[in-house]
Amino acid sequence: MPESYPIWWQEIDSPPPAEWVFMFEDLTGDDTAEQWALAAAIFIAQTRRRTTAGPTFAELFTHLLPDTDGLPGPLPRNLDFMQRRRAVAGFRGHAAIEWCSLRCRRV
């Protein structure tokens, strides 16, 4: 697990796919993170209004990335079940953390 891998991929021995790295940079980049965070916040608010519960990360990211079923791209075939779960959960969770930290930076 090389430390040079992104934090959301550190528990996996093979390098992350380029599509995943590029998408994470787009979701959290200085020029684009606010738009993604706003789109996420709107979807969360609409879902809460409709259902009184917030969406799951899977529902949120499927809404944000509909062409790839909520993932930045295909997962490497050599990953086992747990590595796949860690990759998906880590990617989504850390993107959301970055969006939340945007609010803290503005305050």
Side-chain angles (χ1 to χ4, degrees):
M1 136 184 105
E3 290 182 22
S4 62
Y5 293 168
I7 191 168
W8 45 267
W9 197 269
Q10 298 240 334
E11 297 296 318
I12 301 169
D13 294 330
S14 59
E19 301 100 323
W20 285 60
V21 173
F22 295 140
M23 181 54 70
F24 190 81
E25 289 172 0
D26 189 45
L27 291 172
T28 62
D30 290 340
D31 296 335
T32 54
E34 286 193 34
Q35 293 92 350
W36 284 107
L38 179 60
I42 290 169
F43 180 72
I44 291 166
Q46 290 172 339
T47 302
R48 288 188 65 83
R49 234 186 331 270
R50 210 174 44 253
T51 67
T52 69
T56 64
F57 273 152
E59 292 166 333
L60 173 61
F61 279 86
T62 298
H63 173 77
L64 296 174
L65 306 172
D67 296 338
T68 56
D69 200 28
L71 296 175
L75 282 161
R77 292 181 184 211
N78 64 324
L79 300 183
D80 65 29
F81 176 76
M82 286 308 295
Q83 289 174 321
R84 288 172 179 268
R85 287 190 62 189
R86 281 188 196 112
V88 172
F91 180 90
R92 291 173 174 169
H94 281 92
I97 289 168
E98 288 291 322
W99 295 333
C100 291
S101 71
L102 284 173
R103 179 76 177 136
C104 294
R105 282 183 252 161
R106 283 192 269 153
V107 174

